[in-house]
Amino acid sequence: MSTTLSQAKIAFVGAGSMAEAIIRGLIETKVAEPQNLYVMNRSDQNRLAFLRSEYGLQATSDNQTKETFLREADVVVLCMKPKDVVTAFAELQPLLNEKQLLVSVIAGLSIAKAEALLQTTMPIVRTMPNTSSTIGLGATGMSFSAKVNDTFKQLATQMFEAVGIVTIVEEEKLEIVTGVSGSGPAYVYYFMEAMIKAAIEGGLTEENARQLTLQTVLGAAHMVEHTQEDPAELRRKVTSPNGATQASIEALDRFQFSEAVVQAVFRSAERAKEMGEQIAAPSPIAKSS
């Protein structure tokens, strides 16, 4: 296959928001050409028509065309929901070959289970992106099967760098990546919800509450990025002895704020693992004649 993404044919199985985020990133950064991008889903014609008109790519739910797309692809990106994996993989299995690169964006699905379901030893990249990828500020954890060569590693990394940053980790660390950056945006939104609620209860208008909260979170993230200081050190600089901020941190500590966040990260990681384990392994008697 081609050694550059700009010439590679990439087929997306599943046409949801994550597939669209990656597609938009690839096109906007000119990493890939729209005519080399194929998207397929089971039946949602409106969704396919939108993607076709918005990005100039090729999209289909027709089985024969899907087969053509998949056989021609250099890279196949799996973007379906975990509950659809077994059915979808049974359809995919005869259409894939070991010269292709398989990229999984399926939460909890291990490389070993993907290999077993597809009965393949093709190179597989397992990824855990997050929803901020939709605006090009994603954080993606990535692991490789033993068959992924340096060229494929570079291609996969380049794909996801088009929508943010990439962190390469050993596969067993991907669940904790899910807990930190996969689910992480939701923790921040939840925190922002609480700040807005408090501001409104304190007498601010909803617009002012929202604006001040947004700018505060944005500013704090940029401070960490620009100063490269530890967040704990930046927190100490804001917290004057016996001041208003110290009083607020003490209130958070009374409600075990830090421990709650740690437990949230671990529970997300644990749940991602559970979801992967719930994906049924292939049964030797499942094949029909």
Side-chain angles (χ1 to χ4, degrees):
M1 67 160 281
S2 164
T3 55
T4 65
L5 265 183
S6 61
Q7 295 167 321
K9 291 181 177 177
I10 307 170
F12 291 83
V13 184
S17 57
M18 190 52 70
E20 186 182 354
I22 300 165
I23 287 161
R24 187 192 299 119
L26 290 172
I27 292 170
E28 286 182 356
T29 56
K30 297 184 167 52
V31 169
E33 300 293 332
Q35 66 268 24
N36 289 337
L37 302 180
Y38 308 142
V39 186
M40 58 201 78
N41 67 12
R42 285 191 181 278
S43 58
D44 189 343
Q45 297 300 326
N46 291 338
R47 179 67 178 159
L48 295 174
F50 165 77
L51 293 171
R52 210 179 284 121
S53 65
E54 186 76 7
Y55 302 105
L57 44 72
Q58 302 186 63
T60 191
S61 61
D62 172 73
N63 284 337
Q64 202 166 353
T65 315
K66 277 199 238 183
E67 287 188 17
T68 305
F69 284 178
L70 285 163
R71 290 186 195 281
E72 286 183 2
D74 298 306
V75 182
V76 177
V77 187
L78 306 176
C79 297
M80 73 283 292
K81 293 181 172 65
K83 68 180 179 64
D84 298 325
V85 163
V86 175
T87 312
F89 277 30
E91 293 170 9
L92 286 169
Q93 194 262 328
L95 304 172
L96 301 175
N97 67 72
E98 298 189 2
K99 290 181 181 173
Q100 295 170 315
L101 175 65
L102 195 68
V103 177
S104 170
V105 189
I106 303 163
L109 179 68
S110 70
I111 289 169
K113 188 166 279 189
E115 287 173 339
L117 286 165
L118 290 168
Q119 298 168 45
T120 187
T121 56
M122 70 191 295
I124 298 176
V125 177
R126 183 179 165 194
T127 70
M128 184 63 232
N130 65 11
T131 54
S132 303
S133 301
T134 58
I135 56 164
L137 292 171
T140 300
M142 184 177 287
S143 301
F144 307 115
S145 74
K147 296 281 183 180
V148 181
N149 61 28
D150 288 343
T151 299
F152 279 149
K153 285 178 183 178
Q154 194 177 342
L155 284 179
T157 304
Q158 201 181 356
M159 267 184 78
F160 286 87
E161 282 180 344
V163 292
I165 67 155
V166 172
T167 301
I168 294 165
V169 297
E170 294 163 8
E171 191 185 3
E172 60 268 24
K173 305 286 193 333
L174 269 184
E175 270 82 25
I176 201 71
V177 169
T178 304
V180 175
S181 55
S183 300
Y187 317 151
V188 180
Y189 302 145
Y190 201 21
F191 176 62
M192 291 173 76
E193 281 179 68
M195 284 183 70
I196 291 166
K197 182 184 176 198
I200 292 168
E201 285 180 8
L204 293 180
T205 66
E206 188 173 345
E207 187 186 350
N208 286 344
R210 184 183 166 91
Q211 198 175 37
L212 288 166
T213 298
L214 170 60
Q215 188 64 17
T216 301
V217 173
L218 193 63
H222 277 297
M223 279 291 285
V224 176
E225 184 180 41
H226 288 305
T227 65
Q228 292 294 301
E229 287 188 66
D230 192 283
E233 184 56 35
L234 289 170
R235 173 173 58 81
R236 278 191 284 274
K237 287 181 178 179
V238 182
T239 312
S240 305
N242 297 316
T245 306
Q246 183 177 325
S248 66
I249 296 291
E250 286 170 358
L252 287 171
D253 285 344
R254 279 198 298 277
F255 286 92
Q256 296 183 296
F257 174 79
S258 180
E259 184 58 27
V261 175
V262 169
Q263 288 304 313
V265 170
F266 285 143
R267 181 62 191 119
S268 170
E270 187 180 40
R271 180 62 190 139
K273 193 171 184 183
E274 289 167 3
M275 285 163 63
E277 286 166 355
Q278 284 164 6
I279 296 169
S283 165
I285 56 168
K287 287 186 178 181
S288 56
S289 54

